[in-house]
Amino acid sequence: MSSDADALETPVDIPKKQKKLRPARKQVKPGDVEKKEAPQTGKEYNIWYNKWAGGDREDSYSNKVKSQTRCHIKKDAGMTRANMTGVKYCCLFFARGCCPYGWECEYLHQLPDASIALPDTSKDCFARDKFADYRDDMGGVGSFQRQNRTLYIGRIKETGTGTETEEVVRRHFKEWGEVEKIRVLQYRSVAFVTYVSEFNAQFAKEAMACQSLDNDEILNVRWATEDPNPVSKVQEKRRLEDMGREAIQARMDPRIIDAVRAVQALEDGAIDEDEQGQEEEDGAPEAKRRRADALEGLKYFAEIRRRNGIAIVRSAPLQKPPSEGLGLADYGSDED
């Protein structure tokens, strides 16, 4: 009887059902967004900079108007056809808050997932082609030669201290992904927002372009230039190296990694022959364990070669031919 009572009192962990993603809603109706063309201030229209050549400046923002729409992740995110077809790119118009297709859209209506690698590294999270260099005004898609996670936010209306401005910027920009750090230049109406993932920075750049914070301003959102601080450069280089190492290890068989380490220990002389013999005579288990690991690694490599049909050819060591004079003939001709 007591066992039955204990069974009734003991809580049972019932796995929770995953919340099903609801269909994405249509952010706008066709025709709701009024298309406004830039006023003509020159003779030629530059499609690369999206402005007329001559007369205006991108930095002045004199011809910019506040965006008519804005994306709200909690309300707008949902399932689209891309979740069924396997498309991994986000909808650009969804990020701007003006996609009229909703669940019928062919692109994702959600924040980019940093853990999922895109099929083409030369494209951004919206499937737009990157370029070799940034635009002069640091706008546009960006460059494939540098991983940029930092946005320049200009035209901020400051109504308090730098700490208060940082809180306002953080509240608006954390909606688009995990923020690593924020730096506010007080009295200069400028802030720098660094995301953990470059994909979130790409999404935030489009989502906050020509938007406002709390004071009805029109933000100037661009890519930030490279940080000249040497410490920041070293940290970024180390971060990229760690990411590359983790990505390679994630794709490799862990048995191969262990086998490589065991064989490398032999090649580096970690198991010296005299030391190994002395340790075996003394009954040291460490030497036996290292030797067993190395042998297991060699056996595993031999098994891989056998499965792949790779023949092991032991060739004689190359002997250096005798040189005469300066030995220039040893280099061979261009045809060789």
Side-chain angles (χ1 to χ4, degrees):
M1 185 67 179
S2 61
S3 61
D4 296 339
D6 295 340
L8 293 175
E9 293 177 0
T10 304
V12 179
D13 295 334
I14 301 176
K16 296 181 180 179
K17 294 182 179 180
Q18 293 184 352
K19 188 177 180 181
K20 189 176 181 180
L21 194 64
R22 66 177 185 271
R25 77 181 191 93
K26 298 180 179 180
Q27 294 172 302
V28 296
K29 295 180 180 179
D32 285 354
V33 180
E34 182 182 355
K35 186 177 181 180
K36 296 182 179 180
E37 296 183 359
Q40 184 173 351
T41 56
K43 296 182 179 180
E44 296 180 355
Y45 187 79
N46 192 325
I47 60 175
W48 169 247
Y49 287 93
N50 194 26
K51 68 176 185 177
W52 291 94
D56 61 351
R57 292 177 55 203
E58 182 70 19
D59 291 339
S60 68
Y61 255 51
S62 58
N63 296 322
K64 295 294 182 180
V65 294
K66 186 178 178 179
S67 178
Q68 303 175 52
T69 58
R70 178 166 177 169
C71 177
H72 300 277
I73 290 296
K74 292 184 179 180
K75 183 171 61 174
D76 296 340
M79 182 180 295
T80 63
R81 290 180 177 176
N83 296 98
M84 306 299 178
T85 58
V87 175
K88 302 184 185 304
Y89 296 102
C90 298
C91 176
L92 176 63
F93 299 101
F94 163 73
R96 296 174 178 174
C98 58
C99 181
Y101 298 108
W103 64 271
E104 297 178 341
C105 185
E106 301 293 339
Y107 293 89
L108 295 174
H109 277 210
Q110 61 192 44
L111 289 176
D113 190 352
S115 62
I116 300 178
L118 296 181
D120 191 348
T121 57
S122 64
K123 298 179 182 293
D124 67 352
C125 67
F126 303 108
R128 299 179 299 179
D129 291 322
K130 294 182 180 180
F131 297 89
D133 298 319
Y134 286 93
R135 287 178 10 179
D136 294 338
D137 61 355
M138 296 302 291
V141 180
S143 171
F144 55 75
Q145 295 185 356
R146 173 189 165 205
Q147 187 181 87
N148 200 341
R149 302 177 294 127
T150 304
L151 299 178
Y152 165 92
I153 317 298
R155 299 280 170 176
I156 300 175
K157 288 185 180 180
E158 300 182 57
T159 57
T161 62
T163 305
E164 295 176 355
T165 304
E166 180 179 339
E167 289 299 323
V168 173
V169 174
R170 183 180 299 276
R171 174 161 45 85
H172 283 269
F173 279 84
K174 71 179 182 180
E175 183 179 1
W176 320 115
E178 185 179 356
V179 176
E180 181 177 296
K181 62 180 179 180
I182 294 178
R183 180 188 175 197
V184 175
L185 303 184
Q186 195 174 7
Y187 309 120
R188 294 181 61 179
S189 304
V190 170
F192 294 91
V193 179
T194 302
Y195 285 89
V196 175
S197 171
E198 183 185 20
F199 296 150
N200 295 111
Q202 295 169 0
F203 194 98
K205 179 179 176 296
E206 296 297 334
M208 294 301 295
C210 294
Q211 300 289 348
S212 61
L213 299 180
D214 290 347
N215 300 297
D216 201 31
E217 65 266 59
I218 301 177
L219 296 179
N220 178 12
V221 184
R222 303 179 300 183
W223 290 112
T225 55
E226 189 175 6
D227 193 344
N229 189 351
V231 178
S232 300
K233 291 183 178 180
V234 173
Q235 292 177 350
E236 181 66 13
K237 181 180 179 181
R238 186 180 298 113
R239 188 188 70 87
L240 294 176
E241 290 176 351
D242 293 340
M243 286 179 58
R245 188 181 301 109
E246 292 174 359
I248 293 174
Q249 291 181 356
R251 292 176 177 270
M252 289 182 63
D253 189 340
R255 293 178 295 178
I256 295 181
I257 299 176
D258 296 338
V260 170
R261 289 175 179 172
V263 174
Q264 187 176 4
L266 288 176
E267 294 177 349
D268 294 342
I271 306 177
D272 185 76
E273 292 182 359
D274 298 335
E275 180 183 355
Q276 176 183 329
Q278 183 65 32
E279 288 180 350
E280 289 182 351
E281 291 178 1
D282 298 339
E286 183 64 22
K288 295 181 180 180
R289 185 187 64 80
R290 288 185 297 177
R291 185 179 181 186
D293 292 342
L295 291 176
E296 287 295 329
L298 292 174
K299 291 179 180 178
Y300 186 68
F301 280 129
E303 180 66 19
I304 293 177
R305 290 192 181 99
R306 186 186 64 79
R307 292 178 182 178
N308 297 332
I310 302 175
I312 303 176
V313 180
R314 298 184 179 275
S315 58
L318 297 176
Q319 296 183 1
K320 185 177 179 181
S323 59
E324 298 180 359
L326 296 178
L328 297 178
D330 297 340
Y331 288 96
S333 63
D334 294 338
E335 295 180 357
D336 296 339

